[in-house]
Amino acid sequence: MMPMIRGIFICVILCLSLKTYAAQIYVTDYASEAQAKVYVTNYQSEANCIVYETKYQSDTGSGVWYFTNHKSDARTIIHYTKYKSEADLIVHFTKYKSEARCRY
């Protein structure tokens, strides 16, 4: 129950902070350093968030993520996990910005 609440909370923060800019995400190799553990699924129906990866940090929209190379520039630090049961957030990456969204 607690991981689900944490995942929803993180999803809400990521999606609401996107009103002005894309969420700035830094990916770490260390789970202990991350604010959220993320599992990537191949199926939209399994995902909490449908994510569109942008090349521009000024891009806007719910589910639009900009990956930064510098931890100090990031709003959120994530760690990819191999196991869905460990994840706080389940995402599916899309090629189309119009499909990007987060479900609460």
Side-chain angles (χ1 to χ4, degrees):
M1 180 75 166
M2 191 59 101
M4 183 176 174
I5 293 171
R6 183 174 179 206
I8 291 170
F9 177 72
I10 291 168
C11 188
V12 169
I13 289 174
L14 287 173
C15 293
L16 290 179
S17 68
L18 302 176
K19 298 281 185 200
T20 55
Y21 297 105
Q24 296 177 0
I25 308 294
Y26 177 80
V27 180
T28 182
D29 292 331
Y30 307 103
S32 60
E33 190 176 55
Q35 295 168 328
K37 294 177 192 163
V38 176
Y39 176 79
V40 179
T41 181
N42 292 324
Y43 307 103
Q44 283 191 9
S45 60
E46 287 183 342
N48 303 108
C49 284
I50 311 299
V51 175
Y52 173 77
E53 182 180 346
T54 184
K55 296 179 183 178
Y56 310 103
Q57 67 185 45
S58 60
D59 231 346
T60 60
S62 176
V64 178
W65 289 9
Y66 171 79
F67 289 93
T68 180
N69 293 324
H70 306 285
K71 191 184 334 180
S72 60
D73 293 339
R75 292 185 188 166
T76 304
I77 300 170
I78 66 169
H79 171 75
Y80 289 118
T81 181
K82 295 179 184 179
Y83 307 104
K84 191 187 331 185
S85 60
E86 291 180 349
D88 299 313
L89 189 63
I90 301 170
V91 301
H92 171 77
F93 286 94
T94 182
K95 295 179 183 180
Y96 308 104
K97 185 178 175 184
S98 61
E99 291 181 350
R101 66 184 178 283
C102 288
R103 299 178 198 159
Y104 306 113

